[in-house]
Amino acid sequence: MKEAIKERIRKTRGYNLVSNKIFRLRGRLFDRRYSIETAQEVDLKKLKISSPNLIHGVMYAGPDPKSFAKLFSDWRIDFEKFEFIDLGSGKGRVLLMASEYPFKKITGVEFSPELHEIALENIKNYKCKLIHVANWFN
């Protein structure tokens, strides 16, 4: 019964509005904490992307840091045995959060030159050393 009530609440418009505001706030706090910029959403059609894959994308929006941390804390794997690859790495928030785990290597692949440049700047400002961001737009 308790779960059914929670589910009904999650489907309400008010819950979604509050959740979106909390999601955005967490992103801004994450950015402020690490002196980076990943929270601002970007409509991909406003960028100079020459890839035919643009038709498959809509916008850049970094994931919720709290949800990401929860997901990774639930994994019971030996991170050091795996490489982490983020396809569509955007401004690099996922790469930065993944760098908090001992992956063998972390790679981001992005088709937008503008987002790629922002990711490189964010990586430089963050204190990670295992991230490689692939330039796939040329």
Side-chain angles (χ1 to χ4, degrees):
M1 177 76 165
K2 184 178 174 183
E3 288 303 314
I5 293 170
K6 282 184 182 180
E7 189 59 33
R8 287 189 75 172
I9 291 170
R10 286 186 190 116
K11 290 181 180 180
T12 65
R13 184 169 186 243
Y15 179 85
N16 287 326
L17 289 172
V18 170
S19 294
N20 287 337
K21 288 185 185 291
I22 291 170
F23 171 84
R24 287 187 184 107
L25 176 62
R26 285 181 187 150
R28 288 194 303 270
L29 292 173
F30 181 83
D31 283 5
R32 186 178 302 158
R33 178 179 184 190
Y34 295 106
S35 300
I36 58 173
E37 194 288 295
T38 63
Q40 183 66 40
E41 294 177 352
V42 178
D43 181 346
L44 297 185
K45 291 179 178 40
K46 294 182 179 178
L47 301 175
K48 297 174 188 138
I49 301 172
S50 59
S51 170
N53 292 318
L54 177 60
I55 63 170
H56 303 294
V58 179
M59 74 175 342
Y60 161 82
D64 175 27
K66 183 176 179 180
S67 298
F68 185 89
K70 170 81 171 100
L71 174 71
F72 272 53
S73 69
D74 289 346
W75 288 356
R76 301 289 182 239
I77 63 170
D78 186 0
F79 292 98
E80 294 159 347
K81 293 181 179 178
F82 296 93
E83 291 187 26
F84 182 92
I85 300 172
D86 181 14
L87 300 176
S89 54
K91 296 179 181 182
R93 185 187 293 176
V94 168
L95 302 174
L96 300 174
M97 292 186 294
S99 75
E100 298 297 325
Y101 299 86
F103 285 104
K104 185 176 4 178
K105 183 178 178 181
I106 297 171
T107 301
V109 179
E110 178 53 53
F111 68 7
S112 163
E114 292 106 323
L115 295 179
H116 174 76
E117 289 302 317
I118 293 169
L120 291 176
E121 189 65 25
N122 286 331
I123 291 167
K124 186 173 78 174
N125 291 333
Y126 201 83
K127 42 188 181 304
C128 55
K129 45 194 172 294
L130 298 174
I131 301 174
H132 168 73
V133 181
N135 173 346
W136 284 54
F137 42 80
N138 288 331

